[in-house]
Amino acid sequence: MVQHEWAAQRSGARMAHLEGVGHWWPEEPPTPVAAALQAFWAELPDVARAPATRT
């Protein structure tokens, strides 16, 4: 396990392994990046149904 995988596991974060994408993911093929972002966003709670909070 490499350091970033260890850190993600320890913090409860999830990692997306982007096939065919290297260090410069914003500049490389957009398809795997877009798919990972859409999958992440789909799991977020619906803010329209979220309870109101006070600030």
Side-chain angles (χ1 to χ4, degrees):
M1 181 181 309
V2 293
Q3 183 178 6
H4 58 276
E5 291 171 333
W6 176 85
Q9 184 180 30
R10 293 277 306 214
S11 67
R14 195 177 39 160
M15 290 185 52
H17 295 278
L18 306 173
E19 192 67 36
V21 179
H23 183 74
W24 296 101
W25 60 268
E27 300 293 328
E28 297 189 27
T31 304
V33 176
L37 287 171
Q38 288 175 334
F40 172 73
W41 292 330
E43 294 179 8
L44 295 176
D46 183 359
V47 293
R49 291 192 256 166
T53 59
R54 291 187 166 182
T55 56

